Amino acid sequence: MDRREKFYITTPIYYVNAHPHIGHTYTTIVCDAIARRQRMMGMDTFFLTGTDEHGQKIERSANAAGCSPQKFVDKIAAEFRQLWDRMKLSYDDFIRTTEPRHARGVQALFTRLQEKGYIYKGSYSGQYCVFDELYVDAAGPGAPCPECGRPTETVHEENYFFKLSAMEDRLLKLYNEQPDFIRPETRRNEVMAFVRSGLRDLSVSRTTFKWGIPVPGDPKHVIYVWLDALANYITAIGFGSDDPKDKKKFEHYWPADVHMIGKEIVRFHCVYWPAFLLAAELPLPKSIVAHGWLLFEESKMSKSRGNIVRSETILDTLGADPLRYFLLREIVFGSDGSFSFDALVQRFNADLANGLGNLSSRTLSMIARYFEGEVPYPSKEHMADDQAIATLADDTIEAFHAHFEQFQFSRALETAWALVSAVNKYIVENEPWTLAEKPGQDARARLATVLYTSAEALRVVTALVHPVIPESTARIWQQLGLGDIGKFDLRQLRWGQLPIATKVGKVEPVFPRADNSTIQRMQQMEQERSTVSETKPATAEVQAAGTAAQAGQPAAQAATGSAFAAPADISASVLAAAEASSAQPTVSNNKITIDDFLKVELRVGEVKVAERVKGADKLLRMEVDIGSEVRQIVAGIAKAYEPEKLIGRKVVIVANLQPRKLRGLESQGMIVAASLGDEGQPVLAGFLEDVPVGAKLK
Ligand code: MSP
């Protein structure tokens, strides 16, 4: 085993009920940049990622797709892995929860919890959110999930329980004694408030479906998917194995130094996970770091909202480094941040093409032209501005490290780019091209100093930002004549180490400028891909979720007594919901109760954008502001309404319908309309008085 100090970092393991998008890529890139930097700092680094493949949500998605769960998960897990490989993400292991090594470890953990007296048998009667795989305590039938707002399902089951309530004090002690256990501070405060409000025992097994890891000795039960999933962090490094090599590996790498997660899964990681580990008497991770969400068109990028952007589109046009740079530079780590193609291209041109790219190509081509491709000897007589660059470079090294260590990636990059700008300015002010034309030793010596200073600053920046943009910096390093950047020890980086007479390599542009056509190409690719990507598993996810979440709810039309401008091809999920609802006890003689009606969330919305959907003459795509957010709604009203006339119009939206995909576009709700004649001509519901956007109808 490696004798160096170790560093173990993990991503969450991603659910395989949806294709990867740049939200998942964001977390993985952040971890990759941290892991690469740790390796450059001489640490024995282990970077783990993988996929979360069990649970009711996945089983339903597989059923809806008409294939076995295993076949279903194999396909999407492979997509994640292929994408990470295409992006050259430097993970050391990719764990799948359907692997035997994982099942063995999860069962070992369960048995250990049993042996320590933390597991007992009981029964759970209450609500469950299948989407978040979350028990929602103290809520009534149909209550919305506190995390995602989807209706919860009622579960009555015999379960194994984990004594979470016994862990309150120990957890609070942990948060108090290790302030860095949860980062950032805001998340820590939320978690502490949650634990202080009291913990109830947690059901850790399910009996009503099969797709999971059996409870040892009681295979009627499968282990709760979050206990299964969280354990990946230890099973991947050998927990539960009898092989001495695995045991050693576990002892070496555990505890993790950083579990990187999105903010929506803080509770699972910061409450349940340490509680399981404390109960099992295993060491705790050093730090759980939560980042914010990547937003697209103002809401969280997610499959169910239908507002995702695929990484492949950016890889096919600009490449991986521009995406990596953008995500780390543009998003203030910890906060939510917006993604847009315009902003991506703007950053790319300003910082990479004009900034670092320009510094690299002009410095290196002038060395090639004026000094036959050899780094020149700087004159002993420095001018103030040469010294200023040297000082700034040393300060930049220090500040960059400090920010990076604190997960302040955008500030670290800002610092590095302040150096890039300063050197570009220095070049412009010193006009090396004019110096080259001037006769005499003095001009020649000055030219040498200016180019040495520029090349040395380029080296410093290149080394610092290599973990963030590995491919392009490896090329710049080669062009600087320094060989393999992977071998560079970042701990040694100081001003003045560029060897004189280094022979620079062939100078080639690293970041060719992008323009508007690049933006259009990306947008078009996304549109085309989303149409094509209505593959079985993806569609099935929405349908399965819809079927599950809406079962027990009345069909929307019946509930309101109005006709809804439903898309021409009414979805299987809505039909299923209608069928399911007719079997509910609350529906008798075609009457529903007031409670049933109140389950339908009707809101006033204002149409902000309306346009025809290519190739579908009945459909309009609209963006409707419903107060709390802007929803994309696709409705079959194109024959009755000109899109332009709808803009600014107040409409009524069913706001809590499961999303549904039409012609590749996600419809996040329905617009309410009367339906006239045999043709069902839609007439939109509206108001005579002015009503505020977001107002509820009841
Ligand atoms: N399977 C669980 C995690 C189990 S870990 C033991 C899960 N999976 S997930 O597929 O929903 O992925 C969650 C993670 O993907 C988030 O925590 C976050 O890291 C990343 N993201 C998914 N969408 C995202 C955004 N829109 N923005 C930023 N990160 C996002 O939860």
Side-chain angles (χ1 to χ4, degrees):
M1 198 55 66
D2 207 313
R3 290 190 174 276
R4 292 170 301 160
E5 205 182 327
K6 67 89 189 171
F7 181 83
Y8 177 28
I9 183 165
T10 65
T11 71
I13 47 171
Y14 302 106
Y15 282 133
V16 289
N17 64 318
H19 305 285
H21 58 70
I22 61 170
H24 308 115
T25 303
Y26 174 55
T27 316
T28 322
I29 284 176
V30 169
C31 290
D32 184 71
I34 297 173
R36 283 176 186 272
R37 181 169 166 282
Q38 290 292 340
R39 291 191 196 102
M40 284 182 90
M41 301 290 281
M43 301 290 273
D44 167 19
T45 304
F46 195 83
F47 167 22
L48 176 70
T49 188
T51 40
D52 187 354
E53 307 187 3
H54 287 131
Q56 195 164 15
K57 176 162 70 170
I58 310 274
E59 187 181 78
R60 281 184 178 166
S61 297
N63 288 344
C67 66
S68 71
Q70 191 62 55
K71 208 166 146 207
F72 182 83
V73 299
D74 284 349
K75 182 180 180 296
I76 311 258
E79 273 182 38
F80 272 94
R81 192 165 184 155
Q82 279 157 12
L83 179 61
W84 299 163
D85 289 343
R86 181 171 176 208
M87 295 187 72
K88 301 203 172 66
L89 294 169
S90 63
Y91 62 87
D92 294 287
D93 200 351
F94 186 105
I95 181 132
R96 297 183 54 190
T97 55
T98 48
E99 288 177 65
R101 63 168 169 159
H102 177 71
R104 182 184 60 202
V106 171
Q107 289 184 328
L109 178 62
F110 197 94
T111 306
R112 198 165 158 136
L113 293 172
Q114 272 176 322
E115 284 167 0
K116 307 261 175 211
Y118 282 93
I119 301 263
Y120 64 93
K121 224 176 197 176
S123 67
Y124 180 80
S125 243
Q127 299 308 115
Y128 190 79
C129 171
V130 177
F131 186 82
D132 286 313
E133 301 283 9
L134 173 72
Y135 289 95
V136 181
D137 293 327
C145 166
E147 294 295 322
C148 68
R150 291 172 175 81
T152 51
E153 292 179 43
T154 306
V155 173
H156 300 285
E157 274 183 70
E158 182 197 61
N159 292 139
Y160 284 95
F161 279 81
F162 171 74
K163 289 186 187 165
L164 187 63
S165 58
M167 308 308 281
E168 254 173 63
D169 292 347
R170 292 172 73 187
L171 286 171
L172 288 170
K173 185 162 172 271
L174 161 71
Y175 309 142
N176 279 320
E177 284 177 0
Q178 279 185 48
D180 275 352
F181 182 71
I182 304 171
R183 293 199 252 190
E185 178 88 25
T186 44
R187 304 286 159 230
R188 176 170 172 262
N189 295 340
E190 283 167 16
V191 169
M192 289 182 76
F194 175 77
V195 174
R196 272 197 209 106
S197 73
L199 295 176
R200 293 161 73 140
D201 288 351
L202 178 71
S203 161
V204 284
S205 75
R206 303 285 313 268
T207 49
T208 47
F209 68 96
K210 289 262 154 291
W211 187 238
I213 298 172
V215 165
D218 196 354
K220 208 168 77 232
H221 291 255
V222 293
I223 294 174
Y224 174 42
V225 65
W226 271 100
L227 173 53
D228 165 346
L230 288 160
N232 90 88
Y233 302 133
I234 54 176
T235 62
I237 52 167
F239 179 83
S241 165
D242 293 331
D243 185 333
K245 268 207 328 249
D246 290 337
K247 282 181 188 287
K248 249 189 162 164
K249 187 172 181 180
F250 177 67
E251 271 159 32
H252 180 67
Y253 285 115
W254 190 254
D257 293 81
V258 173
H259 286 318
M260 179 67 64
I261 58 169
K263 66 180 181 184
E264 78 289 357
I265 52 176
V266 162
R267 187 198 307 181
F268 301 102
H269 282 80
C270 302
V271 181
Y272 298 173
W273 184 225
F276 296 148
L277 292 168
L278 283 167
E281 293 172 30
L282 289 167
L284 298 172
K286 292 191 190 144
S287 193
I288 296 163
V289 182
H291 62 68
W293 285 338
L294 198 55
L295 311 177
F296 189 59
E297 292 159 353
E298 294 176 38
S299 54
K300 183 192 177 204
M301 190 179 290
S302 74
K303 171 87 187 91
S304 53
R305 281 196 180 80
N307 63 344
I308 59 163
V309 174
R310 291 156 183 81
S311 308
E312 289 85 339
T313 295
I314 301 155
L315 300 182
D316 288 346
T317 43
L318 294 172
D321 279 4
L323 175 61
R324 295 171 67 102
Y325 179 75
F326 177 83
L327 293 175
L328 288 180
R329 172 66 185 83
E330 192 83 8
I331 296 168
V332 175
F333 186 81
S335 310
D336 292 350
S338 289
F339 176 86
S340 80
F341 291 117
D342 286 27
L344 170 68
V345 165
Q346 219 175 344
R347 269 273 167 227
F348 173 77
N349 282 336
D351 294 6
L352 296 179
N354 295 346
L356 182 60
N358 196 16
L359 171 62
S360 167
S361 63
R362 63 181 172 182
T363 302
L364 294 169
S365 45
M366 283 191 282
I367 291 176
R369 195 170 328 133
Y370 305 138
F371 291 96
E372 288 160 3
E374 277 187 14
V375 172
Y377 196 86
S379 145
K380 293 233 160 45
E381 280 157 42
H382 285 158
M383 294 184 42
D385 55 355
D386 312 329
Q387 192 50 50
I389 295 288
T391 309
L392 180 62
D394 273 332
D395 292 349
T396 303
I397 296 169
E398 203 177 313
F400 188 93
H401 283 315
H403 292 317
F404 215 98
E405 292 283 334
Q406 289 306 314
F407 304 95
Q408 294 175 339
F409 309 111
S410 65
R411 290 190 68 188
L413 291 170
E414 210 178 322
T415 316
W417 258 260
L419 177 60
V420 170
S421 303
V423 186
N424 272 330
K425 185 160 168 260
Y426 164 87
I427 293 175
V428 169
E429 285 171 357
N430 279 283
E431 297 184 29
W433 42 88
T434 311
L435 290 170
E437 301 292 307
K438 281 192 185 158
Q441 281 302 317
D442 287 356
R444 183 82 184 152
R446 184 75 202 131
L447 176 63
T449 304
V450 171
L451 290 184
Y452 179 88
T453 305
S454 309
E456 173 57 351
L458 174 63
R459 184 188 72 92
V460 167
V461 172
T462 304
L464 280 178
V465 304
H466 176 62
V468 178
I469 45 173
E471 250 178 276
S472 32
T473 44
R475 289 174 60 201
I476 296 175
W477 200 256
Q478 285 281 351
Q479 292 184 31
L480 264 167
L482 297 171
D484 179 3
I485 195 168
K487 301 210 169 91
F488 183 71
D489 184 345
L490 196 54
R491 290 168 297 185
Q492 306 301 327
L493 185 65
R494 305 274 183 286
W495 179 263
Q497 295 164 330
L498 176 64
I500 312 293
T502 302
K503 189 94 189 114
V504 303
K506 190 161 178 272
V507 184
E508 280 166 346
V510 180
F511 306 108
R513 267 186 75 86
D515 56 23
N516 276 346
S517 69
T518 319
I519 301 177
Q520 282 159 10
R521 239 175 55 228
M522 289 192 283
Q523 282 166 338
Q524 201 178 342
M525 284 164 83
E526 268 309 279
Q527 220 163 5
E528 283 165 8
R529 276 221 178 97
S530 65
T531 315
V532 180
S533 80
E534 275 197 73
T535 56
K536 279 211 141 193
T539 313
E541 177 230 356
V542 176
Q543 291 186 347
T547 309
Q550 292 185 16
Q553 288 207 311
Q557 280 166 315
T560 58
S562 63
F564 289 79
D569 51 339
I570 192 158
S571 76
S573 61
V574 173
L575 290 177
E579 276 167 26
S581 71
S582 67
Q584 293 304 304
T586 48
V587 181
S588 64
N589 306 329
N590 272 342
K591 298 275 194 301
I592 59 164
T593 65
I594 185 72
D595 286 340
D596 286 330
F597 171 68
L598 289 176
K599 285 178 195 158
V600 182
E601 192 189 337
L602 294 166
R603 281 190 185 273
V604 176
E606 184 178 327
V607 180
K608 294 289 182 194
V609 173
E611 56 191 22
R612 293 185 186 282
V613 174
K614 247 200 207 147
D617 57 358
K618 284 190 186 158
L619 293 185
L620 285 189
R621 185 190 83 86
M622 285 164 284
E623 287 172 28
V624 182
D625 184 357
I626 60 161
S628 50
E629 60 183 292
V630 175
R631 293 279 185 89
Q632 170 168 283
I633 293 190
V634 184
I637 56 170
K639 292 214 159 140
Y641 290 93
E642 290 297 327
E644 310 76 60
K645 295 211 174 121
L646 287 174
I647 294 171
R649 181 165 172 162
K650 298 264 173 69
V651 290
V652 178
I653 298 297
V654 184
N656 62 341
L657 266 188
Q658 280 296 324
R660 148 115 183 96
K661 227 173 182 191
L662 290 152
R663 300 283 170 146
L665 297 168
E666 186 98 26
S667 189
Q668 301 154 345
M670 271 184 170
I671 190 161
V672 179
S675 175
L676 305 186
D678 291 341
E679 298 285 330
Q681 191 204 343
V683 178
L684 293 179
F687 299 92
L688 292 176
E689 287 84 5
D690 199 15
V691 279
V693 166
K696 260 188 152 177
L697 281 79
K698 48 184 180 175

